[in-house]
Amino acid sequence: MYCRLAAREVSAIKPILDSNSVKLVGVGLEDLGVEEFLEGKFFDGELFIDTDKKSYNALGFKRFGFLGLFPAVLSSLARAAQGRAKGLKLGGNMAGDGYQNGGALVVEKGGKTLYHYVQEEAPDHASNAEILKALGIPVPDPVPTAETAANQGS
C-alpha cells in the first residue's frame, strides 16, 4: 500500500513534469504484482524492473530487518499513510518484498544528480515540492498531491 501511495503521489506532478519536458521513471524490484500495479494506474511514468536490485543497492536504498518492520508500520506516520491510502481506495497486499525501501533520484541530462532521497520508513516518500525545487520548476501552491490529482480525475 505504501508504494502505491508514493507512486500515486509523485504521479500527481506528472503534468507539471511533462510541461517542463521532464520524464518520470520508476524502478520496481520484482515482477510480482506488476500487472496489478499497472492495471491500477498507480504510477503515470515509465516503469522498469530491477530484479537484481542493483540500482537499489547503488543508491543506498535500505532493507528493513524483520523486527524493524513492525514499528515502521505502527508509527503515526504509518497510520496517516494508511488513512490516505484507504481514502484513495488504493488497496494493497502483502505479496512480494515488503522489506525493501526505495527512494527518489532526480538527474539532469548528462547524469548530474540534482536530488537523492532515501526512504527511512515504509510510509515516507520524497516530497513533490522538493522534487520540483531540485528541477528548478516553480512549486505551485498548493503542491499537487495524490488526493488533489484524484479529485481532478473525478
Side-chain angles (χ1 to χ4, degrees):
M1 145 188 36
Y2 299 126
C3 63
R4 290 178 181 191
L5 179 59
R8 199 50 86 71
E9 186 79 4
V10 74
S11 292
I13 61 171
K14 185 155 188 318
I16 298 170
L17 299 176
D18 288 347
S19 68
N20 286 275
S21 302
V22 175
K23 285 186 179 184
L24 177 61
V25 177
V27 180
L29 56 104
E30 57 194 347
D31 293 318
L32 181 65
V34 170
E35 287 303 317
E36 181 183 349
F37 193 79
L38 293 173
E39 287 170 8
K41 298 183 176 161
F42 300 112
F43 184 68
D44 290 338
E46 296 177 56
L47 186 61
F48 297 88
I49 306 297
D50 177 10
T51 55
D52 295 331
K53 300 181 189 174
K54 290 180 182 177
S55 60
Y56 285 73
N57 293 328
L59 292 168
F61 297 160
K62 304 170 189 167
R63 285 182 55 80
F64 278 118
F66 180 73
L67 295 177
L69 187 60
F70 293 105
V73 216
L74 301 173
S75 69
S76 60
L77 181 63
R79 287 191 307 277
Q82 291 162 9
R84 289 184 67 205
K86 184 177 180 181
L88 290 163
K89 298 178 176 61
L90 298 182
N93 60 47
M94 297 303 287
D97 184 354
Y99 297 104
Q100 180 65 58
N101 273 351
L105 182 68
V106 176
V107 294
E108 67 182 2
K109 287 182 183 177
K112 179 182 174 191
T113 298
L114 301 176
Y115 178 72
H116 181 201
Y117 173 83
V118 177
Q119 182 184 26
E120 294 295 329
E121 295 183 53
D124 71 352
H125 56 271
S127 152
N128 284 348
E130 291 299 318
I131 292 169
L132 294 172
K133 283 180 198 172
L135 289 162
I137 297 173
V139 179
D141 185 19
V143 178
T145 65
E147 289 82 0
T148 59
N151 290 338
Q152 290 174 353
S154 314

